[in-house]
Amino acid sequence: MSQALQKPTYDPKLIRNIPALSLSLGLPESQLISIAAQADSLYRKAKPIIKPDGSIRQPYDALPPLKAIQRRIKDRILKRVDYPLYLTGSLSGRDYRTNADQHAGAKIVICEDIEKFFPSTSRDRVLDIWLNFFRFSEDVANLLTNLTTKQGALPEGASTSSYLANLVFWNQEPRLQAKLVRKNIVYSRFVDDISVSSKQFLAEEDKTALIAQVYGMLKRHNYKAKRRKHEIFTSGRRMITTKLMVNSKPALPSEARQNIRAAVHALEQRVLSGERGSEIATELNRVTSRVGNLGILHATEATPLKARLRNVRQLL
């Protein structure tokens, strides 16, 4: 296993003034400055996300003037960062399955959830990314910060936010990951979910020290772990990270697969009873997506469910 320091890197030409930023984004300076000045008011609430523990996360959707600018910031700057493999959230070719796969076959997996991650990602933290990671000039960094934050925090749901989320620990996470690699411990982060694992059992004092190192990194950046979500799994029982079992290879837990089968059955019954309209169409799309995700990990189980959904679609 390589012990080289794996850190995010950015190689394109540095942006040292507002005219250069305007040229990089292909947008007029006046538009960037004007939209940045009113950015806080250019969001609408998206559909709330209800988490399994009952807590609610409120994502936001940027309104068109800001949304278009954020898309260019994402495409022309943030996507040009080379992100290390231990970062798996919302990056091309990586997802929760990529994250889980790194921990497959471990003897122990420790999972931590960062408390109120997006609201806790302050304007100062985002400014630090633009100023010290990208090394853009102060005026450029301040303008980009205004364009990518909402009322002093990172807005969940904005197209730029997941990329910035991957960079919040840019100056310490690589050192922590490298230190753990030297101890044959795997570290990964899926946005606000941190997972560490070992293919060897760890003594209690080693587990305590490991957790303390993760908590220390969070504390230094004014985050804290959600203690009620702290979990330690060992290979003697089911081990789960980012909602997938990782005892051997990434797999959906049996109850999740059962819930998908139940959703298909419930949809069939509704259609057979005569329900039609936009609500049924929306539910069909939702269930189809769930079955598609099942098929990625459990193709044999998903195949008959896909056939049943095709029959439902023919009835509509």
PDB file of all heavy atoms in Angstrom, residues 21 28 37 39 55 66 82 84 96 102 141 155 160 166-167 173 177 179 202 220 223 243 248 257 273 275 286 294 297:
ATOM      1  N   LEU A  21     -10.669  36.098 -13.715  1.00  0.00           N
ATOM      2  CA  LEU A  21     -11.789  35.223 -13.358  1.00  0.00           C
ATOM      3  C   LEU A  21     -12.887  35.336 -14.395  1.00  0.00           C
ATOM      4  O   LEU A  21     -13.477  34.324 -14.816  1.00  0.00           O
ATOM      5  CB  LEU A  21     -12.323  35.594 -11.971  1.00  0.00           C
ATOM      6  CG  LEU A  21     -13.542  34.791 -11.496  1.00  0.00           C
ATOM      7  CD1 LEU A  21     -13.203  33.313 -11.326  1.00  0.00           C
ATOM      8  CD2 LEU A  21     -14.087  35.364 -10.181  1.00  0.00           C
ATOM      9  N   PRO A  28     -19.169  38.304 -17.948  1.00  0.00           N
ATOM     10  CA  PRO A  28     -18.740  39.686 -17.707  1.00  0.00           C
ATOM     11  C   PRO A  28     -18.436  39.950 -16.230  1.00  0.00           C
ATOM     12  O   PRO A  28     -19.118  39.404 -15.346  1.00  0.00           O
ATOM     13  CB  PRO A  28     -19.941  40.524 -18.166  1.00  0.00           C
ATOM     14  CG  PRO A  28     -20.745  39.620 -19.040  1.00  0.00           C
ATOM     15  CD  PRO A  28     -20.526  38.232 -18.517  1.00  0.00           C
ATOM     16  N   ALA A  37     -23.177  40.096  -5.084  1.00  0.00           N
ATOM     17  CA  ALA A  37     -23.699  41.023  -4.081  1.00  0.00           C
ATOM     18  C   ALA A  37     -25.088  40.630  -3.586  1.00  0.00           C
ATOM     19  O   ALA A  37     -25.476  40.970  -2.463  1.00  0.00           O
ATOM     20  CB  ALA A  37     -23.727  42.441  -4.655  1.00  0.00           C
ATOM     21  N   ALA A  39     -26.238  37.273  -3.846  1.00  0.00           N
ATOM     22  CA  ALA A  39     -26.289  35.805  -3.893  1.00  0.00           C
ATOM     23  C   ALA A  39     -27.115  35.190  -2.765  1.00  0.00           C
ATOM     24  O   ALA A  39     -27.801  34.187  -2.974  1.00  0.00           O
ATOM     25  CB  ALA A  39     -24.871  35.239  -3.870  1.00  0.00           C
ATOM     26  N   SER A  55     -34.110  12.925  11.468  1.00  0.00           N
ATOM     27  CA  SER A  55     -33.657  14.308  11.333  1.00  0.00           C
ATOM     28  C   SER A  55     -33.869  14.785   9.898  1.00  0.00           C
ATOM     29  O   SER A  55     -33.976  13.985   8.971  1.00  0.00           O
ATOM     30  CB  SER A  55     -32.185  14.440  11.734  1.00  0.00           C
ATOM     31  OG  SER A  55     -31.365  13.652  10.884  1.00  0.00           O
ATOM     32  N   LEU A  66     -27.757  32.864 -10.517  1.00  0.00           N
ATOM     33  CA  LEU A  66     -26.650  32.308  -9.736  1.00  0.00           C
ATOM     34  C   LEU A  66     -26.342  30.881 -10.163  1.00  0.00           C
ATOM     35  O   LEU A  66     -25.174  30.471 -10.209  1.00  0.00           O
ATOM     36  CB  LEU A  66     -26.996  32.348  -8.247  1.00  0.00           C
ATOM     37  CG  LEU A  66     -25.949  31.769  -7.280  1.00  0.00           C
ATOM     38  CD1 LEU A  66     -24.627  32.526  -7.387  1.00  0.00           C
ATOM     39  CD2 LEU A  66     -26.479  31.827  -5.844  1.00  0.00           C
ATOM     40  N   ASP A  82      -7.681  17.502  -8.997  1.00  0.00           N
ATOM     41  CA  ASP A  82      -7.430  16.063  -8.928  1.00  0.00           C
ATOM     42  C   ASP A  82      -7.682  15.638  -7.481  1.00  0.00           C
ATOM     43  O   ASP A  82      -6.892  15.957  -6.593  1.00  0.00           O
ATOM     44  CB  ASP A  82      -5.990  15.762  -9.346  1.00  0.00           C
ATOM     45  CG  ASP A  82      -5.704  14.267  -9.379  1.00  0.00           C
ATOM     46  OD1 ASP A  82      -6.668  13.472  -9.327  1.00  0.00           O
ATOM     47  OD2 ASP A  82      -4.522  13.893  -9.440  1.00  0.00           O
ATOM     48  N   PRO A  84      -8.032  13.003  -4.408  1.00  0.00           N
ATOM     49  CA  PRO A  84      -7.510  11.675  -4.039  1.00  0.00           C
ATOM     50  C   PRO A  84      -8.631  10.652  -3.911  1.00  0.00           C
ATOM     51  O   PRO A  84      -9.803  11.008  -3.678  1.00  0.00           O
ATOM     52  CB  PRO A  84      -6.816  11.923  -2.699  1.00  0.00           C
ATOM     53  CG  PRO A  84      -7.417  13.180  -2.170  1.00  0.00           C
ATOM     54  CD  PRO A  84      -7.783  14.010  -3.364  1.00  0.00           C
ATOM     55  N   TYR A  96     -21.299   6.192  -3.223  1.00  0.00           N
ATOM     56  CA  TYR A  96     -21.307   5.479  -1.952  1.00  0.00           C
ATOM     57  C   TYR A  96     -20.813   4.046  -2.101  1.00  0.00           C
ATOM     58  O   TYR A  96     -20.249   3.471  -1.166  1.00  0.00           O
ATOM     59  CB  TYR A  96     -22.713   5.510  -1.339  1.00  0.00           C
ATOM     60  CG  TYR A  96     -23.749   4.707  -2.098  1.00  0.00           C
ATOM     61  CD1 TYR A  96     -24.157   3.457  -1.651  1.00  0.00           C
ATOM     62  CD2 TYR A  96     -24.338   5.209  -3.265  1.00  0.00           C
ATOM     63  CE1 TYR A  96     -25.111   2.724  -2.332  1.00  0.00           C
ATOM     64  CE2 TYR A  96     -25.284   4.480  -3.953  1.00  0.00           C
ATOM     65  CZ  TYR A  96     -25.668   3.242  -3.485  1.00  0.00           C
ATOM     66  OH  TYR A  96     -26.609   2.510  -4.174  1.00  0.00           O
ATOM     67  N   GLN A 102     -13.884   0.287  -0.621  1.00  0.00           N
ATOM     68  CA  GLN A 102     -12.561   0.448  -0.019  1.00  0.00           C
ATOM     69  C   GLN A 102     -12.441  -0.285   1.317  1.00  0.00           C
ATOM     70  O   GLN A 102     -11.328  -0.559   1.779  1.00  0.00           O
ATOM     71  CB  GLN A 102     -12.250   1.939   0.181  1.00  0.00           C
ATOM     72  CG  GLN A 102     -12.180   2.717  -1.124  1.00  0.00           C
ATOM     73  CD  GLN A 102     -11.689   4.137  -0.926  1.00  0.00           C
ATOM     74  OE1 GLN A 102     -10.709   4.376  -0.232  1.00  0.00           O
ATOM     75  NE2 GLN A 102     -12.369   5.092  -1.538  1.00  0.00           N
ATOM     76  N   ALA A 141     -10.879  35.363  -4.418  1.00  0.00           N
ATOM     77  CA  ALA A 141     -11.341  34.410  -3.412  1.00  0.00           C
ATOM     78  C   ALA A 141     -12.604  34.906  -2.721  1.00  0.00           C
ATOM     79  O   ALA A 141     -13.552  34.141  -2.487  1.00  0.00           O
ATOM     80  CB  ALA A 141     -10.239  34.154  -2.383  1.00  0.00           C
ATOM     81  N   PRO A 155     -24.195  26.001   1.156  1.00  0.00           N
ATOM     82  CA  PRO A 155     -25.571  25.535   0.971  1.00  0.00           C
ATOM     83  C   PRO A 155     -25.625  24.120   0.387  1.00  0.00           C
ATOM     84  O   PRO A 155     -25.110  23.871  -0.711  1.00  0.00           O
ATOM     85  CB  PRO A 155     -26.164  26.553  -0.009  1.00  0.00           C
ATOM     86  CG  PRO A 155     -24.989  27.025  -0.804  1.00  0.00           C
ATOM     87  CD  PRO A 155     -23.791  26.960   0.105  1.00  0.00           C
ATOM     88  N   THR A 160     -21.949  23.596  -6.734  1.00  0.00           N
ATOM     89  CA  THR A 160     -20.554  23.752  -6.317  1.00  0.00           C
ATOM     90  C   THR A 160     -20.280  23.161  -4.936  1.00  0.00           C
ATOM     91  O   THR A 160     -19.118  22.923  -4.589  1.00  0.00           O
ATOM     92  CB  THR A 160     -20.179  25.248  -6.288  1.00  0.00           C
ATOM     93  OG1 THR A 160     -21.199  25.968  -5.569  1.00  0.00           O
ATOM     94  CG2 THR A 160     -20.079  25.820  -7.687  1.00  0.00           C
ATOM     95  N   ASN A 166     -15.556  18.406  -0.504  1.00  0.00           N
ATOM     96  CA  ASN A 166     -14.408  17.506  -0.589  1.00  0.00           C
ATOM     97  C   ASN A 166     -13.093  18.199  -0.242  1.00  0.00           C
ATOM     98  O   ASN A 166     -12.079  17.519  -0.022  1.00  0.00           O
ATOM     99  CB  ASN A 166     -14.309  16.904  -1.992  1.00  0.00           C
ATOM    100  CG  ASN A 166     -15.303  15.789  -2.209  1.00  0.00           C
ATOM    101  OD1 ASN A 166     -15.379  14.848  -1.429  1.00  0.00           O
ATOM    102  ND2 ASN A 166     -16.097  15.884  -3.265  1.00  0.00           N
ATOM    103  N   LEU A 167     -13.101  19.523  -0.197  1.00  0.00           N
ATOM    104  CA  LEU A 167     -11.867  20.268   0.023  1.00  0.00           C
ATOM    105  C   LEU A 167     -11.783  20.921   1.406  1.00  0.00           C
ATOM    106  O   LEU A 167     -10.794  21.590   1.703  1.00  0.00           O
ATOM    107  CB  LEU A 167     -11.711  21.351  -1.055  1.00  0.00           C
ATOM    108  CG  LEU A 167     -11.554  20.842  -2.490  1.00  0.00           C
ATOM    109  CD1 LEU A 167     -11.629  22.004  -3.474  1.00  0.00           C
ATOM    110  CD2 LEU A 167     -10.244  20.084  -2.658  1.00  0.00           C
ATOM    111  N   GLU A 173      -6.398  16.597   6.075  1.00  0.00           N
ATOM    112  CA  GLU A 173      -6.886  15.256   5.757  1.00  0.00           C
ATOM    113  C   GLU A 173      -5.820  14.399   5.075  1.00  0.00           C
ATOM    114  O   GLU A 173      -5.688  13.208   5.420  1.00  0.00           O
ATOM    115  CB  GLU A 173      -8.141  15.368   4.894  1.00  0.00           C
ATOM    116  CG  GLU A 173      -8.968  14.103   4.815  1.00  0.00           C
ATOM    117  CD  GLU A 173     -10.324  14.368   4.201  1.00  0.00           C
ATOM    118  OE1 GLU A 173     -10.396  15.155   3.229  1.00  0.00           O
ATOM    119  OE2 GLU A 173     -11.317  13.800   4.678  1.00  0.00           O
ATOM    120  N   GLN A 177      -4.729  10.773   6.524  1.00  0.00           N
ATOM    121  CA  GLN A 177      -4.858   9.562   5.715  1.00  0.00           C
ATOM    122  C   GLN A 177      -3.518   8.855   5.569  1.00  0.00           C
ATOM    123  O   GLN A 177      -3.422   7.630   5.674  1.00  0.00           O
ATOM    124  CB  GLN A 177      -5.434   9.929   4.341  1.00  0.00           C
ATOM    125  CG  GLN A 177      -5.840   8.741   3.485  1.00  0.00           C
ATOM    126  CD  GLN A 177      -4.726   8.271   2.545  1.00  0.00           C
ATOM    127  OE1 GLN A 177      -3.728   8.970   2.352  1.00  0.00           O
ATOM    128  NE2 GLN A 177      -4.902   7.094   1.970  1.00  0.00           N
ATOM    129  N   LYS A 179      -0.936   8.990   7.608  1.00  0.00           N
ATOM    130  CA  LYS A 179      -0.559   8.417   8.901  1.00  0.00           C
ATOM    131  C   LYS A 179      -1.276   7.088   9.125  1.00  0.00           C
ATOM    132  O   LYS A 179      -0.695   6.120   9.613  1.00  0.00           O
ATOM    133  CB  LYS A 179      -0.910   9.397  10.026  1.00  0.00           C
ATOM    134  CG  LYS A 179      -0.482   8.935  11.406  1.00  0.00           C
ATOM    135  CD  LYS A 179      -0.964   9.897  12.486  1.00  0.00           C
ATOM    136  CE  LYS A 179      -0.307  11.252  12.338  1.00  0.00           C
ATOM    137  NZ  LYS A 179      -0.672  12.147  13.482  1.00  0.00           N
ATOM    138  N   LEU A 202      -8.176  -4.498  15.972  1.00  0.00           N
ATOM    139  CA  LEU A 202      -7.456  -3.450  16.680  1.00  0.00           C
ATOM    140  C   LEU A 202      -7.697  -3.559  18.177  1.00  0.00           C
ATOM    141  O   LEU A 202      -8.828  -3.824  18.617  1.00  0.00           O
ATOM    142  CB  LEU A 202      -7.915  -2.066  16.198  1.00  0.00           C
ATOM    143  CG  LEU A 202      -7.711  -1.747  14.714  1.00  0.00           C
ATOM    144  CD1 LEU A 202      -8.286  -0.367  14.401  1.00  0.00           C
ATOM    145  CD2 LEU A 202      -6.247  -1.816  14.330  1.00  0.00           C
ATOM    146  N   ARG A 220     -10.276  20.817  14.902  1.00  0.00           N
ATOM    147  CA  ARG A 220      -9.408  21.891  14.423  1.00  0.00           C
ATOM    148  C   ARG A 220     -10.074  22.722  13.337  1.00  0.00           C
ATOM    149  O   ARG A 220      -9.663  23.849  13.074  1.00  0.00           O
ATOM    150  CB  ARG A 220      -8.082  21.306  13.912  1.00  0.00           C
ATOM    151  CG  ARG A 220      -7.123  20.909  15.034  1.00  0.00           C
ATOM    152  CD  ARG A 220      -5.751  20.539  14.493  1.00  0.00           C
ATOM    153  NE  ARG A 220      -5.770  19.274  13.762  1.00  0.00           N
ATOM    154  CZ  ARG A 220      -5.595  18.084  14.324  1.00  0.00           C
ATOM    155  NH1 ARG A 220      -5.455  17.981  15.652  1.00  0.00           N
ATOM    156  NH2 ARG A 220      -5.600  16.986  13.598  1.00  0.00           N
ATOM    157  N   TYR A 223     -15.629  21.519  13.396  1.00  0.00           N
ATOM    158  CA  TYR A 223     -16.690  20.534  13.208  1.00  0.00           C
ATOM    159  C   TYR A 223     -16.692  19.611  14.419  1.00  0.00           C
ATOM    160  O   TYR A 223     -15.726  19.569  15.188  1.00  0.00           O
ATOM    161  CB  TYR A 223     -16.447  19.680  11.958  1.00  0.00           C
ATOM    162  CG  TYR A 223     -16.471  20.425  10.649  1.00  0.00           C
ATOM    163  CD1 TYR A 223     -15.291  20.908  10.080  1.00  0.00           C
ATOM    164  CD2 TYR A 223     -17.664  20.625   9.957  1.00  0.00           C
ATOM    165  CE1 TYR A 223     -15.302  21.577   8.863  1.00  0.00           C
ATOM    166  CE2 TYR A 223     -17.676  21.283   8.739  1.00  0.00           C
ATOM    167  CZ  TYR A 223     -16.496  21.768   8.196  1.00  0.00           C
ATOM    168  OH  TYR A 223     -16.504  22.428   6.994  1.00  0.00           O
ATOM    169  N   LYS A 243     -24.391   2.771   4.106  1.00  0.00           N
ATOM    170  CA  LYS A 243     -25.614   1.981   3.910  1.00  0.00           C
ATOM    171  C   LYS A 243     -25.401   0.664   3.171  1.00  0.00           C
ATOM    172  O   LYS A 243     -26.369   0.022   2.750  1.00  0.00           O
ATOM    173  CB  LYS A 243     -26.676   2.812   3.182  1.00  0.00           C
ATOM    174  CG  LYS A 243     -27.081   4.075   3.928  1.00  0.00           C
ATOM    175  CD  LYS A 243     -28.144   4.855   3.173  1.00  0.00           C
ATOM    176  CE  LYS A 243     -28.498   6.133   3.922  1.00  0.00           C
ATOM    177  NZ  LYS A 243     -29.509   6.944   3.206  1.00  0.00           N
ATOM    178  N   SER A 248     -17.847  -8.864   2.910  1.00  0.00           N
ATOM    179  CA  SER A 248     -17.029  -9.485   1.865  1.00  0.00           C
ATOM    180  C   SER A 248     -16.898  -8.520   0.688  1.00  0.00           C
ATOM    181  O   SER A 248     -15.836  -8.014   0.397  1.00  0.00           O
ATOM    182  CB  SER A 248     -17.631 -10.820   1.411  1.00  0.00           C
ATOM    183  OG  SER A 248     -18.976 -10.646   0.994  1.00  0.00           O
ATOM    184  N   ARG A 257     -33.178  -4.667   0.482  1.00  0.00           N
ATOM    185  CA  ARG A 257     -33.618  -5.386  -0.715  1.00  0.00           C
ATOM    186  C   ARG A 257     -35.088  -5.783  -0.598  1.00  0.00           C
ATOM    187  O   ARG A 257     -35.850  -5.697  -1.566  1.00  0.00           O
ATOM    188  CB  ARG A 257     -32.723  -6.610  -0.931  1.00  0.00           C
ATOM    189  CG  ARG A 257     -31.320  -6.156  -1.203  1.00  0.00           C
ATOM    190  CD  ARG A 257     -30.224  -7.138  -1.406  1.00  0.00           C
ATOM    191  NE  ARG A 257     -30.366  -8.520  -1.131  1.00  0.00           N
ATOM    192  CZ  ARG A 257     -29.538  -9.199  -0.306  1.00  0.00           C
ATOM    193  NH1 ARG A 257     -28.571  -8.553   0.367  1.00  0.00           N
ATOM    194  NH2 ARG A 257     -29.649 -10.483  -0.149  1.00  0.00           N
ATOM    195  N   SER A 273     -55.365  -1.770  -9.386  1.00  0.00           N
ATOM    196  CA  SER A 273     -56.632  -1.290  -8.814  1.00  0.00           C
ATOM    197  C   SER A 273     -57.194  -0.106  -9.591  1.00  0.00           C
ATOM    198  O   SER A 273     -58.262   0.410  -9.258  1.00  0.00           O
ATOM    199  CB  SER A 273     -56.436  -0.892  -7.348  1.00  0.00           C
ATOM    200  OG  SER A 273     -55.627   0.261  -7.247  1.00  0.00           O
ATOM    201  N   GLU A 275     -55.387   2.909 -10.424  1.00  0.00           N
ATOM    202  CA  GLU A 275     -54.771   4.228 -10.245  1.00  0.00           C
ATOM    203  C   GLU A 275     -53.968   4.624 -11.478  1.00  0.00           C
ATOM    204  O   GLU A 275     -53.248   3.806 -12.054  1.00  0.00           O
ATOM    205  CB  GLU A 275     -53.853   4.232  -9.017  1.00  0.00           C
ATOM    206  CG  GLU A 275     -54.596   4.291  -7.701  1.00  0.00           C
ATOM    207  CD  GLU A 275     -53.654   4.624  -6.537  1.00  0.00           C
ATOM    208  OE1 GLU A 275     -52.933   5.647  -6.629  1.00  0.00           O
ATOM    209  OE2 GLU A 275     -53.620   3.858  -5.557  1.00  0.00           O
ATOM    210  N   ARG A 286     -39.563   6.491  -9.471  1.00  0.00           N
ATOM    211  CA  ARG A 286     -38.814   6.344  -8.221  1.00  0.00           C
ATOM    212  C   ARG A 286     -38.459   4.889  -7.971  1.00  0.00           C
ATOM    213  O   ARG A 286     -37.320   4.548  -7.637  1.00  0.00           O
ATOM    214  CB  ARG A 286     -39.632   6.893  -7.052  1.00  0.00           C
ATOM    215  CG  ARG A 286     -38.867   6.966  -5.726  1.00  0.00           C
ATOM    216  CD  ARG A 286     -39.753   7.511  -4.627  1.00  0.00           C
ATOM    217  NE  ARG A 286     -40.736   6.524  -4.226  1.00  0.00           N
ATOM    218  CZ  ARG A 286     -40.507   5.575  -3.304  1.00  0.00           C
ATOM    219  NH1 ARG A 286     -39.337   5.485  -2.720  1.00  0.00           N
ATOM    220  NH2 ARG A 286     -41.463   4.719  -2.981  1.00  0.00           N
ATOM    221  N   LEU A 294     -30.419  -1.476  -7.197  1.00  0.00           N
ATOM    222  CA  LEU A 294     -30.316  -2.860  -6.740  1.00  0.00           C
ATOM    223  C   LEU A 294     -29.560  -3.694  -7.762  1.00  0.00           C
ATOM    224  O   LEU A 294     -28.711  -4.528  -7.411  1.00  0.00           O
ATOM    225  CB  LEU A 294     -31.722  -3.436  -6.522  1.00  0.00           C
ATOM    226  CG  LEU A 294     -31.807  -4.939  -6.176  1.00  0.00           C
ATOM    227  CD1 LEU A 294     -31.218  -5.199  -4.786  1.00  0.00           C
ATOM    228  CD2 LEU A 294     -33.262  -5.419  -6.237  1.00  0.00           C
ATOM    229  N   LEU A 297     -25.655  -3.961  -7.744  1.00  0.00           N
ATOM    230  CA  LEU A 297     -25.021  -4.831  -6.749  1.00  0.00           C
ATOM    231  C   LEU A 297     -25.598  -6.237  -6.730  1.00  0.00           C
ATOM    232  O   LEU A 297     -24.925  -7.183  -6.326  1.00  0.00           O
ATOM    233  CB  LEU A 297     -25.164  -4.202  -5.350  1.00  0.00           C
ATOM    234  CG  LEU A 297     -24.438  -2.875  -5.140  1.00  0.00           C
ATOM    235  CD1 LEU A 297     -24.914  -2.208  -3.862  1.00  0.00           C
ATOM    236  CD2 LEU A 297     -22.936  -3.088  -5.103  1.00  0.00           C
TER     237      LEU A 297
END
